[in-house]
Amino acid sequence: MERVKEISRVRELVGAAREDGGRIGFVPTMGYLHEGHLSLVRILKERTDFVVMSIFVNKLQFNDLNDFDSYPKDIQRDMELAEKAGVDLLFLPDDSEMYSNNLTVVDVHEITENLCGAHRPGHFQGVFTVVSKLFNIVQPDVAVFGQKDIQQVSGIKKMVTDLNFPIEIKVAPIVREKDGLAMSSRNKHLSSEERNNALALNRSLHRAKKMLMSGERDSSIIIEAMKEEISSVTHGDMDYISVVSFPDLKDVDRIDGDSVIALAVYFGDTRLIDNMLIEFTGDSLNCII
Ligand code: PAF
């Protein structure tokens, strides 16, 4: 595995891999790798010939600078995990390599108006700007993102279409701990009590699934039941529990077509997100948690 800090070197190495006829796969990350990131690498290993991973904690997407300062880092461990997973090129730019007096930002409207977009001003603009830059640097054929950040994926898909990036975007399932907690670099910040309480996220999604499977379609009734589940372990600090259409992410009163139930809740100072994708085939539905 090559480790590279310079954009020009990434271009050389990716160019050489492409000249050999290889398809380029790309996983952008902010590091502190876990099984969720490694599952994305595995998806690309099956579909492409040369896998690039970036690790860059992108200040532009942090609306809260304390969150940026405390974002977990362990670059040594990350390098070992990336190499073991079969990453061919690890791009580790520093801030000055990525941003020098940037005056350009990328925004995707509408899709970013609710869910996390309503609670983290500027966050998605930071994400889409850095992802556009990384796409232009790496020029992959395929890039993969996790379902857990469903609003990020929806926005990136729309951005790729609108801005004509010749890149296939793959969406990977949420990877969970054995007890159901969705994997996240932020889980490291949870005390053992908070971690235990955070299992209510997954429980609330399963409760929603059960209701859907027994025919309930009213969003507000499902949201109420989920709120009850969450408030049994934490007082307040629910950023949102929402039912939205997929992929355009508009609030829906009734679940009659492809939708997402998404939630963001604080456990102590740690904000966790989770979601369930609901896919309809005719009248039957499939819930992907
Ligand atoms: O999902 C993430 O880790 C980040 O938002 C991303 C896509 C690497 C952009 O910084």
Side-chain angles (χ1 to χ4, degrees), residues 28-31 37 54 56-58 61 71 123 126-127 130-131 134 145 149 152 156:
T29 81
M30 297 207 296
H37 299 109
S54 60
F56 177 63
V57 185
N58 174 38
Q61 71 187 73
Y71 200 81
H123 167 68
V127 171
V130 80
V131 171
L134 290 165
F145 295 86
D149 295 297
Q152 169 171 288
I156 288 170

Side-chain angles (χ1 to χ4, degrees), residues 234-273:
T234 177
H235 308 291
D237 292 348
M238 272 180 238
D239 252 4
Y240 63 81
I241 301 181
S242 300
V243 182
V244 293
S245 54
F246 183 76
D248 51 339
L249 309 186
K250 300 251 191 290
D251 286 319
V252 289
D253 295 335
R254 282 192 64 77
I255 304 171
D256 293 326
D258 290 355
S259 319
V260 175
I261 300 184
L263 68 171
V265 179
Y266 278 90
F267 294 89
D269 291 333
T270 309
R271 183 179 183 275
L272 298 182
I273 56 173

Side-chain angles (χ1 to χ4, degrees), residues 91-159:
F91 178 40
L92 302 158
D94 59 25
D95 214 59
S96 61
E97 186 71 4
M98 288 299 284
Y99 295 114
S100 57
N101 187 31
N102 256 61
L103 299 178
T104 308
V105 292
V106 179
D107 220 339
V108 180
H109 300 294
E110 296 190 19
I111 280 178
T112 51
E113 271 165 16
N114 59 10
L115 308 182
C116 291
H119 294 267
R120 301 186 66 189
H123 167 68
F124 283 113
Q125 204 178 67
V127 171
F128 302 141
T129 302
V130 80
V131 171
S132 301
K133 286 170 71 71
L134 290 165
F135 280 175
N136 282 326
I137 293 165
V138 177
Q139 302 193 2
D141 298 290
V142 186
V144 61
F145 295 86
Q147 180 195 317
K148 185 159 91 50
D149 295 297
I150 193 78
Q151 195 168 17
Q152 169 171 288
V153 183
S154 298
I156 288 170
K157 280 185 160 230
K158 187 75 179 103
M159 175 185 89

